[in-house]
Amino acid sequence: MDSALSDPHNGSVEAGGPTNGTTRPPSTPEGIALAYGSLLLMALLPIFFGALRSVRCARGKNASDMPETITSRDAARFPIIASCTLLGLYLFFKIFSQEYINLLLSMYFFVLGILALSHTISPFMNKFFPANFPNRQYQLLFTQGSGENKEEIINYEFDTKDLVCLGLSSIVGVWYLLRKHWIANNLFGLAFSLNGVELLHLNNVSTGCILLGGLFIYDVFWVFGTNVMVTVAKSFEAPIKLVFPQDLLEKGLEADNFAMLGLGDIVIPGIFIALLLRFDISLKKNTHTYFYTSFAAYIFGLGLTIFIMHIFKHAQPALLYLVPACIGFPVLVALAKGEVTEMFSYESSAEILPHTPRLTHFPTVSGSPASLADSMQQKLAGPRRRRPQNPSAIGRFKKLKIGLHKPKSNLSRLPLPLPPLGTTRHRESGAGSLSEEGAQRGRAKSWKL
């Protein structure tokens, strides 16, 4: 994952090209300002719209299409996984031919880019279809096994409009595959960024702090400590970065002196900003204070990155400036408003499925498992007989708590279903049939969720 913003200034080599010792004419101040401003704007667009779409994604999806939620354990492991991936790519470029590696990666990102771009433009394209457009439904289903062992591998539902979006995205994909043009690269990069912000959800603010803090160290080490990050960024011919030419005014669309911004510097702060937007909505105050604060903090941090990079003429780890800004500014606002506790106790995953029943307490059932099974069998086998209850017999049974964990008893082996959770049945002395009073109470109660 490229997470460095680099500045190919005078005498630098083209991003993605071999070192040939050639120099470039100096970039004009206007061209540099245009490149930096364009990178900043392209970084803001997927964060803003991706955050808005993440709210709709959290509200509208069902359990099978739930967004990917990043837990604290995932956040702690992510910098290690990213470091191993980055070092592996670096070694691959050093050992094997760069041409064949980029060919393989280009085909891989060609497929992913088409799918990501199609998903991105689908909501916008729906507005252009006429009302009488023949929209048919399709389903792509791949299964493994047969009978009871059948398992779904791919279950993708789409319609005719999705196919049109897929066709338009394929045109961009072919353009990128044949020309590697920077515009096609940016279209795929923007699609990847927007999908990442929309579909990757942090479960709480603490997890976001762990993720951003770990990647803060990762970014600083691999940019300042070694040349691995910059080498991979310049050698990796894949849409994992946004680029914009500094010599666009001189050479037009064929310009080749690029400034670049890694997608990691967009997606990682972006999913944290999207979390704060969902937190704003959960407060139900009709204000988006934390979202706008973190969004402004991102603009400040990225602007500071560009300024320092331009002054020192060296690639900068953008997360070095983005992480303190994106975390610090909202925390200061929460301190001023007295909402720090609410911020760090907010759970985003609790609102993904607002209509899903959740267990709020652990109901109890009186009697041992054996007595429950015996009494239910006798209730169905023999006639119902009303006998007086024996309080001393009732007191001999212990209460069995049933939770969501694996049962410690043999309840799953009972030949008949258990009574509804939340009911209380008493075994009578003697024959052991259920009392009429206990049965009526059991039918009147329900499992409260």
Side-chain angles (χ1 to χ4, degrees):
M1 179 185 66
D2 171 33
S3 190
L5 187 142
S6 63
D7 175 24
H9 50 278
N10 302 341
S12 66
V13 278
E14 177 181 353
T19 304
N20 52 18
T22 60
T23 60
R24 304 179 186 275
S27 300
T28 63
E30 295 81 5
I32 295 176
L34 178 62
Y36 291 158
S38 300
L39 285 178
L40 180 60
L41 178 61
M42 287 190 293
L44 296 178
L45 290 176
I47 292 178
F48 184 82
F49 291 104
L52 295 179
R53 290 175 61 159
S54 74
V55 176
R56 291 194 294 268
C57 179
R59 287 177 173 176
K61 296 292 183 179
N62 53 35
S64 60
D65 298 324
M66 189 182 302
E68 185 70 23
T69 302
I70 301 175
T71 63
S72 57
R73 178 178 297 181
D74 300 328
R77 292 186 298 188
F78 191 79
I80 301 175
I81 298 174
S83 298
C84 295
T85 303
L86 183 66
L87 184 60
L89 288 173
Y90 178 79
L91 295 177
F92 266 100
F93 281 118
K94 290 295 184 181
I95 298 174
F96 301 101
S97 173
Q98 178 177 320
E99 178 182 359
Y100 296 110
I101 297 176
N102 280 321
L103 179 61
L104 180 62
L105 293 174
S106 296
M107 295 299 299
Y108 175 71
F109 282 97
F110 166 76
V111 177
L112 290 184
I114 290 176
L115 296 177
L117 186 59
S118 175
H119 180 265
T120 301
I121 66 175
S122 179
F124 303 101
M125 291 298 298
N126 287 335
K127 301 178 181 179
F128 295 97
F129 289 101
N132 58 351
F133 183 81
N135 192 29
R136 297 182 178 179
Q137 301 294 324
Y138 304 93
Q139 183 180 21
L140 183 63
L141 179 63
F142 284 93
T143 61
Q144 180 180 0
S146 60
E148 296 181 354
N149 297 325
K150 182 180 292 186
E151 180 182 359
E152 289 186 2
I153 300 177
I154 298 176
N155 188 358
Y156 182 69
E157 297 180 357
F158 55 97
D159 53 27
T160 308
K161 295 179 180 179
D162 294 328
L163 290 178
V164 174
C165 295
L166 193 65
L168 295 176
S169 302
S170 300
I171 297 175
V172 179
V174 172
W175 181 24
Y176 170 78
L177 197 62
L178 296 179
R179 297 290 304 277
K180 295 293 191 300
H181 200 275
W182 60 273
I183 295 180
N185 174 90
N186 288 346
L187 290 176
F188 278 167
L190 290 171
F192 285 139
S193 301
L194 191 145
N195 280 272
V197 176
E198 176 188 359
L199 300 176
L200 292 177
H201 287 194
L202 294 166
N203 61 352
N204 53 51
V205 175
S206 300
T207 301
C209 293
I210 295 173
L211 179 64
L212 267 66
L215 291 177
F216 172 88
I217 301 173
Y218 155 88
D219 213 13
V220 172
F221 173 78
W222 289 111
V223 175
F224 286 153
T226 67
N227 66 337
V228 172
M229 179 79 76
V230 178
T231 301
V232 172
K234 292 182 176 181
S235 304
F236 203 76
E237 290 185 1
I240 61 167
K241 54 185 179 290
L242 299 179
V243 298
F244 200 90
Q246 302 182 60
D247 52 351
L248 179 67
L249 300 178
E250 292 80 18
K251 296 185 178 180
L253 296 179
E254 300 302 323
D256 55 5
N257 186 14
F258 297 103
M260 66 182 70
L261 175 66
L263 298 189
D265 300 326
I266 301 173
V267 176
I268 300 303
I271 60 178
F272 186 76
I273 295 173
L275 171 67
L276 293 180
L277 175 60
R278 298 194 296 273
F279 171 62
D280 273 322
I281 295 175
S282 71
L283 295 177
K284 299 180 180 179
K285 295 182 179 180
N286 296 325
T287 59
H288 297 158
T289 305
Y290 294 99
F291 170 69
Y292 290 130
T293 301
S294 58
F295 195 74
Y298 182 85
I299 297 175
F300 170 78
L302 190 57
L304 182 62
T305 305
I306 294 174
F307 174 76
I308 295 178
M309 182 189 65
H310 180 71
I311 295 299
F312 291 97
K313 304 297 182 183
H314 188 275
Q316 296 293 317
L319 294 182
L320 173 63
Y321 311 96
L322 291 174
V323 170
C326 291
I327 294 180
F329 283 29
V331 171
L332 290 177
V333 172
L335 286 172
K337 299 180 67 175
E339 295 177 343
V340 177
T341 303
E342 290 83 350
M343 173 185 285
F344 282 90
S345 61
Y346 168 71
E347 288 285 342
S348 177
S349 58
E351 297 186 356
I352 291 178
L353 293 176
H355 303 296
T356 301
R358 301 181 183 277
L359 188 65
T360 57
H361 73 286
F362 293 95
T364 60
V365 178
S366 298
S368 64
S371 65
L372 288 173
D374 181 49
S375 61
M376 293 185 67
Q377 288 176 347
Q378 292 186 21
K379 178 178 180 295
L380 295 178
R384 181 179 299 177
R385 292 176 296 176
R386 184 168 182 174
R387 295 185 178 182
Q389 297 183 4
N390 188 348
S392 61
I394 298 174
R396 289 197 296 268
F397 297 105
K398 296 182 180 179
K399 291 187 176 181
L400 174 65
K401 292 187 176 181
I402 299 179
L404 294 180
H405 53 276
K406 292 183 178 180
K408 297 181 180 180
S409 61
N410 59 347
L411 294 178
S412 59
R413 300 179 184 177
L414 294 178
L416 297 174
L418 284 173
L421 296 180
T423 64
T424 304
R425 302 287 179 98
H426 299 284
R427 183 181 177 182
E428 297 179 344
S429 59
S433 61
L434 295 177
S435 68
E436 184 67 18
E437 180 182 356
Q440 291 178 356
R441 272 203 312 272
R443 289 193 297 269
K445 296 182 180 180
S446 60
W447 186 12
K448 297 181 181 179
L449 296 179

